[in-house]
């Protein structure tokens, strides 16, 4: 995809005689020529031997070999909002730390090539002045007459270790077979991308580069707007989505070895509430009224009955008071209010009132 960048990474590393300490010195000298994430991407792309990988991940060769050959995960299940359970496969602490460090470098590389239509699972350094979140994802579809929402089925588990290895060996990352195999084993479990590993989101974005490219080409050809947030795919148009257009979309999904979750596919006209990743987009990006009503009710309960009682009411608990539940409730409510500010703006009077009322309730308790 951009072999020159990979070649430059290897050339600089050779010039620095493979020293990662020298890389950090080079980073300090090259701010005008390269951004921080570009230097970090170069450090990743310069890896061509197992010892390089061990140094990058700050583990000994034998420690890394053990994590690759004998990965430890634990499985548990989380209830979905609309019924059923989601299997989570979480890495053990040592493997988790290594994957987090690898994720840091993979995110830097992805940031160099990210399609502008992708807003999920993207590291978002402020110094670039870019925003990648569900608000920006929804903003692309405001005011359109027709919106098509789609969901990819079994998104992470549907990505095999073989596909991950191919991505590591592709022009995007350019690793040799040995390094690509080691990395694929380091980030997959039981032959697939695990839900719960910190590396799975960014790897899924790498895997979807071809999908994003084909979808954007289709969008430009047919006058659509296209965005993707993780496995949520959205097209919008001022013209009706035809059967031919829908078949073409499905053909692209199948071409890239994904499956559409038809139960979650919907087309919405401008005469109904249009939502993208849970946000209303008919006239502007806004919170769903039901969520705003829920947040207001929670804050009102806090100011009227106190935090402890509000927490018990919200969680449907009767009986003995538990301080841990109150702390969890406060964190959850703070998250809701911050989200309202992110969507509506931090100068929005509704957000300011919600924030002020909760702060008053907190002062009363503490």
């Amino acid at each position: 995809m951009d072999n020159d960048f990979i070649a430059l990474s290897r050339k600089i590393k050779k010039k620095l005689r493979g020293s990662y300490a020298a890389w950090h010195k080079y980073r300090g000298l090259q701010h005008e020529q390269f951004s921080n994430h570009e230097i970090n991407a170069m450090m990743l792309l310069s890896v061509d031997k197992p010892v390089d990988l061990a140094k990058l991940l700050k583990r000994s060769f034998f420690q890394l070999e053990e994590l690759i050959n004998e990965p430890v995960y634990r499985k548990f299940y989380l209830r979905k909002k609309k019924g059923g359970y989601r299997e989570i496969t979480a890495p053990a602490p040592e493997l988790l730390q290594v994957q987090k460090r690898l994720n840091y470098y993979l995110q830097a590389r992805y940031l160099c090539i990210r399609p502008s239509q992708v807003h999920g699972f993207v590291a978002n350094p402020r110094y670039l002045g870019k925003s990648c979140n569900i608000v920006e994802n929804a903003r692309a579809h405001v005011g359109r007459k027709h919106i098509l929402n789609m969901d990819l089925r079994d998104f992470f588990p549907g990505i095999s270790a073989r596909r991950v290895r191919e991505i590591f060996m592709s022009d995007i990352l350019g690793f040799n077979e040995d390094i690509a195999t080691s990395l694929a084993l380091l980030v997959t479990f039981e032959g697939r991308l695990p839900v719960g590993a910190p590396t799975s989101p960014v790897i899924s974005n790498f895997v979807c580069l071809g999908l994003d490219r084909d979808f954007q080409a289709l969008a430009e050809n047919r006058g659509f707007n296209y965005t993707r947030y993780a496995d949520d795919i959205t097209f919008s148009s001022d013209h009706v989505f035809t059967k031919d257009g829908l078949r073409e979309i499905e053909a692209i999904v199948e071409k890239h070895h994904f499956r559409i979750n038809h139960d979650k596919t919907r087309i919405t006209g401008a005469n109904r509430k249009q939502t993208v990743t849970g946000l209303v987009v008919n006239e502007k990006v806004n919170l769903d009224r039901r969520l705003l009503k829920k947040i207001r009710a929670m804050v009102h309960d806090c100011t009227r009955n106190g935090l402890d009682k509000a927490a018990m009411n919200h969680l449907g608990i009767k009986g003995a008071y538990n301080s841990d539940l109150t702390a969890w409730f406060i964190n959850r409510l703070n998250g809701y209010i911050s989200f309202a500010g992110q969507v509506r703006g931090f100068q929005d009077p509704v957000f300011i009132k919600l924030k002020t009322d909760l702060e008053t309730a907190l002062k009363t308790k503490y």
Side-chain angles (χ1 to χ4, degrees):
M1 184 168 291
D2 53 350
N3 287 322
D4 290 344
F5 191 84
I6 297 176
L8 178 61
S9 303
R10 304 269 162 84
K11 182 179 179 180
I12 293 173
K13 188 198 171 195
K14 186 177 181 181
K15 184 177 180 181
L16 297 175
R17 298 180 181 178
S19 168
Y20 280 84
W23 262 113
H24 288 284
K25 183 178 179 181
Y26 182 82
R27 179 205 303 268
L29 296 173
Q30 296 296 324
H31 274 288
E32 293 184 3
Q33 185 176 356
F34 299 108
S35 299
N36 285 336
H37 70 284
E38 290 175 325
I39 294 291
N40 289 327
M42 286 181 173
M43 290 179 68
L44 172 69
L45 297 177
S46 68
V47 170
D48 57 7
K49 298 177 183 177
V51 67
D52 297 336
L53 183 60
K55 287 180 179 179
L56 184 75
L57 300 178
K58 291 189 175 181
R59 293 296 186 276
S60 72
F61 174 81
F62 298 105
Q63 287 174 322
L64 198 57
E65 186 178 42
E66 183 176 357
L67 291 174
I68 290 170
N69 293 328
E70 299 180 18
V72 178
Y73 289 82
R74 68 183 183 93
K75 291 184 180 180
F76 57 94
Y77 296 86
L78 294 180
R79 187 186 296 273
K80 295 180 181 179
K81 289 182 180 179
K82 296 185 178 180
Y85 291 86
R86 176 177 287 105
E87 181 183 280
I88 307 296
T89 308
E94 178 67 14
L95 179 57
L96 176 65
Q97 291 306 311
V98 170
Q99 288 179 342
K100 281 183 176 180
R101 184 164 177 81
L102 178 59
N103 178 63
Y104 175 78
Y105 290 103
L106 288 171
Q107 287 283 6
R109 174 55 179 153
Y110 184 72
L111 203 59
C112 296
I113 57 175
R114 176 187 75 89
S116 61
Q117 300 80 21
V118 178
H119 298 279
F121 302 150
V122 180
N124 193 24
R126 294 180 181 177
Y127 74 92
L128 289 179
K130 296 181 180 179
S131 295
C132 298
N133 50 51
I134 65 170
V135 178
E136 293 304 314
N137 185 71
R139 201 183 306 280
H141 306 285
V142 170
R144 301 285 271 186
K145 292 181 180 179
H146 304 277
I147 289 181
L148 168 63
N149 300 105
M150 304 173 64
D151 182 90
L152 298 179
R153 185 183 295 276
D154 298 327
F155 188 48
F156 285 175
I159 297 175
S160 67
R162 178 186 58 80
R163 290 175 72 185
V164 174
R165 181 173 177 271
E166 288 172 354
I167 282 293
F168 284 130
M169 292 181 66
S170 70
D171 291 345
I172 300 164
L173 292 163
F175 293 117
N176 61 48
E177 186 174 348
D178 289 341
I179 296 298
T181 301
S182 297
L183 286 170
L185 291 172
L186 191 63
V187 300
T188 60
F189 183 62
E190 295 180 342
R192 59 184 185 172
L193 211 55
V195 178
T199 44
S200 293
V202 68
I203 290 172
S204 71
N205 275 342
F206 279 117
V207 171
C208 285
L209 281 168
L211 179 81
D212 294 325
R213 182 182 60 249
D214 287 351
F215 271 158
Q216 183 55 25
L218 170 68
E220 291 173 359
N221 184 50
R222 290 186 171 268
F224 299 163
N225 283 353
Y226 162 68
T227 64
R228 181 175 63 83
Y229 191 94
D231 57 348
D232 289 319
I233 293 169
T234 306
F235 290 93
S236 60
S237 174
D238 287 332
H239 304 284
V240 174
F241 289 100
T242 64
K243 289 184 178 180
D244 285 344
L246 295 175
R247 279 195 289 265
E248 195 169 353
I249 289 171
E250 187 157 6
I252 290 173
V253 172
E254 292 175 355
K255 170 187 172 182
H256 293 281
H257 309 290
F258 288 106
R259 294 183 299 156
I260 296 173
N261 185 349
H262 291 287
D263 293 338
K264 294 185 178 181
T265 300
R266 67 183 186 278
I267 299 174
T268 313
N271 60 334
R272 298 173 59 195
K273 182 176 71 176
Q274 297 173 316
T275 61
V276 176
T277 49
L279 299 176
V280 179
V281 295
N282 290 71
E283 298 178 358
K284 64 178 182 179
V285 179
N286 205 350
L287 291 176
D288 188 292
R289 288 182 180 179
R290 290 174 296 180
L291 177 57
L292 187 56
K293 183 178 180 180
K294 176 181 179 179
I295 299 171
R296 280 175 165 155
M298 292 167 71
V299 172
H300 179 71
D301 202 359
C302 291
T303 57
R304 182 175 181 178
N305 301 310
L307 295 172
D308 298 335
K309 182 65 175 175
M312 295 177 73
N313 289 340
H314 173 70
L315 297 170
I317 295 174
K318 297 180 179 179
Y321 155 72
N322 186 321
S323 60
D324 289 339
L325 292 178
T326 300
W328 181 87
F329 170 75
I330 293 170
N331 286 335
R332 183 179 180 85
L333 183 51
N334 263 318
Y336 276 139
I337 294 172
S338 295
F339 180 59
Q342 181 185 6
V343 175
R344 296 176 65 95
F346 293 105
Q347 302 304 316
D348 178 73
V350 172
F351 162 73
I352 293 173
K353 186 176 189 316
L354 291 171
K355 186 172 183 291
T356 302
D357 288 350
L358 179 59
E359 288 174 349
T360 300
L362 287 167
K363 289 178 182 177
T364 302
K365 178 175 175 60
Y366 299 107

